Amino acid sequence: MAIQLLNGVVYGGLLYLLAVGLVLIFGLREVVNFAHGALFMLGSYIGYTLAASGQWWLGLLVSVVVMAAVGCILDVLVFRSLRKHDHIVTVLITFGLLLILETVVTVTWGKAYLSYPVPRLLAGTIEIAGSPFPIYRLFIIAVSLMVAIGLAAWLRFTRMGLYVRAASTNAHVTSIQGIDVDRLSLIVVGLGTALAGLSGVVAGPLLTLSPTMGNYILIDSFIVVVIGGLGSFGGAFIAALLIGQIHNLGAIYLPWAATMLPFMLMIGILIWRPTGFAGSRT
Amino acid sequence: MPRTAWIVGVAALALALGVATPWLVASKLTLSLTTQAIFDALLATSVGFLILQNGRVSFGQAAFFGLGGYAFGVLVARQAMAPELAFVLALALPTLVAFLLGIVFARITGVAHAMLTLAVGQAFYEIAFRWRELAKGDDGMSFDLPQRIFGFASNSLQNPAVMVVISWSILVLSLAGLALFANSRMGQIAAAVRDNEERARFIGHDTTIPPAIVYAISAFLAAIAGLLQATYNGYIAPQMFHWSLSGSALIMAVVGGAQFIIGPAFGAVCFFFLKDFAGRFAEYWPAIVGSVLVAVTLLMPQGIVGLASRAWTRQRSRS
């Protein structure tokens, strides 16, 4: 049972890394990023290229840096010009980006399923509550916890974090008070995309790589963001852990309904509170 | 009412043209492609109608498309009932499901609605994918049509020269029906709710049922498309529910022009033949679609039909 709960935390951690990026981008740019799963997938492939030659850690670093750059480019070229548009327009445009990214990856790396091994340093298992548990999975939990703590501290205790929180609440008023929201957004979108790259590489050894690998986890992260409340960092954290548990325990105890449970939870919560459980009542 | 007369007149002309197609076009391949394009046009029309009348973007319209196809395919393959009854059920079930969902979704708009429909659509996909006893799960299932449906030899339903006329007529009648609905009292109320729900409620209209009826109508169209495709191919597969199908129907609707009733159908036909034409670039196809979508959304938010309509008005005001 302890092992199963831990497995749920592993998936929840990965979901959190993606969902928090969605929340950051939505908060600053009001863009619902349908391309986020494809960015996760791209990050995973970049990591694969280096991991295939035994440079897993270098792959992690390169993927995060490249994805941060991709995020900055996206922000300048696409998201910035979407400011004045309706949310639905941003949905359609990022959906277009998703198709473009999938094609780029298909043409570059091919359609075949790829996989890469766990880095040697983190191979092996450790005994927890009498059962073996892969060290690599503990590493994923540690990474997502570190990101969660780091991000919370950054948002809570630094001046820039204060600006980010202010701009997420009302970008217009924040810019009137003399803060360069465009520059702030550049950093924040870069950060959100870098986190997608990070989770892509970290999840790489657990998944098989394919150009559509981002779709499934994107839908789960949308569920996390929606039930957590659009734009809520704390909500995303709790919802990610919740969906992680439901995903894993459901697969064990209710296999016939497992894939339905997150959807049902989402529908139930939205009917109860259309803004999600940590969202503001507007 | 002159507007109604216009709609009826144009529809009659379009019907006559459709009936003449098999005599005008000899190539079986062209007929078959046209038939497929019309199925796409019906699905895109159903997505576009939801945007036009309810102001809601759906990423899960394939749920009703798949439900229509599956209900028919499964019932016929098991010989659970008379095929005519299966036909009716395959249309009634998705419509009813959509009506109930429409009532539940009444308070949910914008991005949350897009995500919710995506989730509901994927839930159906997961069921079809995993439930092997239903229709062989992931593999999909072919089935034989019964000898006769509604007194006609059923193999004619798999003949493109026949199916092209049937599906074209259905498309034309649907578009005319939607145009009449948009002008009807119920359509006007739904549009009022779309523009300002609070105001519509304030002046005494019910704001739940009219949008739910729009939902049901749009699902009915999607179900027709799914039913026709399942009948024509004699095959159902979980891909009929997949969100990429909902997504491409949405793209066709937006590129064609979702502010117009015929816009989505026009977009679907354009896309279908562009795709066929660009066959040798098949590998790059999604990127081409994606780029077109980005360009159209940013540069001409009203779509191709919107652009044409503006050019036409300008031309007329000049002369």
Side-chain angles (χ1 to χ4, degrees):
Chain A
M1 185 68 190
I3 297 290
Q4 283 147 17
L5 289 177
L6 272 179
N7 276 327
V9 178
V10 172
Y11 188 63
L14 286 174
L15 279 182
Y16 169 74
L17 290 178
L18 274 189
V20 84
L22 285 170
V23 171
L24 282 167
I25 295 172
F26 182 77
L28 270 283
R29 283 301 193 203
E30 304 225 334
V31 165
V32 181
N33 191 7
F34 262 68
H36 209 65
L39 293 168
F40 162 86
M41 176 270 297
L42 182 60
S44 204
Y45 271 91
I46 293 172
Y48 163 84
T49 303
L50 286 147
S53 54
Q55 303 281 338
W56 195 89
W57 294 97
L58 185 65
L60 183 71
L61 184 73
V62 169
S63 172
V64 170
V65 173
V66 171
M67 293 313 289
V70 169
C72 292
I73 294 168
L74 274 184
D75 187 62
V76 173
L77 290 186
V78 185
F79 296 166
R80 189 173 289 181
S81 64
L82 289 180
R83 255 175 320 195
K84 299 171 290 292
H85 288 85
D86 191 51
H87 285 178
I88 291 307
V89 173
T90 71
V91 167
L92 292 173
I93 289 189
T94 53
F95 187 65
L97 287 176
L98 159 90
L99 296 176
I100 297 172
L101 284 173
E102 277 183 5
T103 312
V104 168
V105 170
T106 311
V107 171
T108 316
W109 281 280
K111 265 195 189 125
Y113 291 107
L114 303 170
S115 60
Y116 53 106
V118 173
R120 209 174 309 137
L121 190 64
L122 299 171
T125 57
I126 181 174
E127 192 161 305
I128 294 177
S131 320
F133 190 76
I135 295 172
Y136 188 75
R137 292 181 177 233
L138 287 180
F139 169 73
I140 294 182
I141 297 177
V143 169
S144 37
L145 263 184
M146 271 168 8
V147 169
I149 294 168
L151 207 61
W154 183 61
L155 289 168
R156 187 76 191 78
F157 298 118
T158 66
R159 182 154 290 265
M160 200 160 152
L162 175 72
Y163 294 161
V164 171
R165 278 185 293 145
S168 297
T169 315
N170 191 327
H172 187 62
V173 172
T174 311
S175 69
I176 289 172
Q177 290 175 330
I179 290 155
D180 187 346
V181 174
D182 271 344
R183 215 187 62 186
L184 201 61
S185 300
L186 186 72
I187 296 168
V188 165
V189 173
L191 179 66
T193 314
L195 286 177
L198 176 72
S199 52
V201 181
V202 167
L206 297 189
L207 306 171
T208 43
L209 274 62
S210 76
T212 53
M213 69 187 276
N215 292 349
Y216 185 78
I217 201 161
L218 174 75
I219 291 171
D220 270 3
S221 355
F222 272 162
I223 294 178
V224 164
V225 174
V226 170
I227 69 176
L230 276 174
S232 161
F233 294 97
F237 184 73
I238 298 166
L241 288 181
L242 185 66
I243 295 292
Q245 291 305 335
I246 288 178
H247 185 269
N248 261 49
L249 295 180
I252 296 164
Y253 296 108
L254 285 172
W256 55 273
T259 45
M260 297 284 292
L261 291 176
F263 300 124
M264 313 235 273
L265 184 72
M266 175 182 181
I267 293 166
I269 286 190
L270 277 183
I271 290 167
W272 168 54
R273 278 189 71 150
T275 52
F277 63 67
S280 55
R281 280 179 189 268
T282 44
Chain B
M1 203 169 139
R3 204 181 165 89
T4 315
W6 256 100
I7 295 170
V8 173
V10 172
L13 203 67
L15 275 180
L17 191 72
V19 173
T21 320
W23 282 275
L24 299 176
V25 181
S27 154
K28 222 170 168 91
L29 180 69
T30 310
L31 285 176
S32 187
L33 284 176
T34 311
T35 308
Q36 292 286 349
I38 295 172
F39 298 159
D40 281 0
L42 272 168
L43 184 62
T45 300
S46 91
V47 180
F49 182 64
L50 207 56
I51 301 178
L52 179 69
Q53 281 287 324
N54 275 7
R56 292 190 188 168
V57 169
S58 168
F59 260 92
Q61 206 67 5
F64 308 119
F65 179 83
L67 212 50
Y70 261 66
F72 182 69
V74 170
L75 289 174
V76 162
R78 303 190 171 196
Q79 302 183 319
M81 55 181 70
E84 291 81 9
L85 197 57
F87 235 93
V88 174
L89 259 183
L91 298 178
L93 180 71
T95 311
L96 184 68
V97 169
F99 182 71
L100 297 176
L101 283 175
I103 291 175
V104 175
F105 290 177
R107 290 161 64 208
I108 297 157
T109 53
V111 169
H113 183 269
M115 290 179 174
L116 194 60
T117 50
L118 173 64
V120 171
Q122 274 313 92
F124 278 105
Y125 171 76
E126 294 285 346
I127 295 175
F129 188 88
R130 282 172 207 272
W131 193 354
R132 287 205 67 80
E133 296 81 46
L134 179 73
K136 299 192 183 150
D138 188 23
D139 300 340
M141 178 178 81
S142 10
F143 56 92
D144 293 321
L145 291 177
Q147 291 273 307
R148 295 190 158 272
I149 300 180
F150 293 113
F152 294 99
S154 65
N155 57 3
S156 63
L157 289 174
Q158 295 181 333
N159 174 1
V162 177
M163 198 47 149
V164 78
V165 175
I166 294 177
S167 51
W168 172 259
S169 310
I170 290 176
L171 178 66
V172 171
L173 291 176
S174 307
L175 290 171
L178 294 182
L180 293 175
F181 176 84
N183 284 324
S184 74
R185 185 180 146 75
M186 187 58 83
Q188 302 280 336
I189 297 175
V193 175
R194 170 198 67 198
D195 291 337
N196 191 331
E197 196 203 324
E198 213 167 336
R199 197 184 293 160
R201 197 184 315 128
F202 200 69
I203 56 176
H205 291 307
D206 179 76
T207 57
T208 307
I209 300 301
I213 289 177
V214 170
Y215 227 99
I217 293 175
S218 94
F220 178 68
L221 283 182
I224 293 179
L227 171 62
L228 287 177
Q229 195 187 69
T231 313
Y232 183 62
N233 295 334
Y235 177 72
I236 48 176
Q239 273 62 38
M240 293 178 79
F241 288 100
H242 200 264
W243 75 297
S244 54
L245 183 62
S246 307
S248 43
L250 182 62
I251 293 175
M252 293 164 188
V254 170
V255 170
Q259 303 307 317
F260 301 85
I261 284 177
I262 62 157
F266 187 73
V269 174
C270 286
F271 253 90
F272 193 89
F273 286 102
L274 180 67
K275 185 175 180 174
D276 188 54
F277 179 72
R280 58 207 157 110
F281 303 112
E283 209 178 358
Y284 303 99
W285 174 247
I288 298 170
V289 174
S291 314
V292 170
L293 179 67
V294 172
V296 168
T297 332
L298 282 180
L299 304 178
M300 39 188 228
Q302 291 198 304
I304 302 173
V305 172
L307 207 68
S309 147
R310 249 191 321 189
W312 167 251
T313 330
R314 212 177 301 145
Q315 193 67 40
R316 270 213 308 198
S317 63
R318 203 178 289 158
S319 59

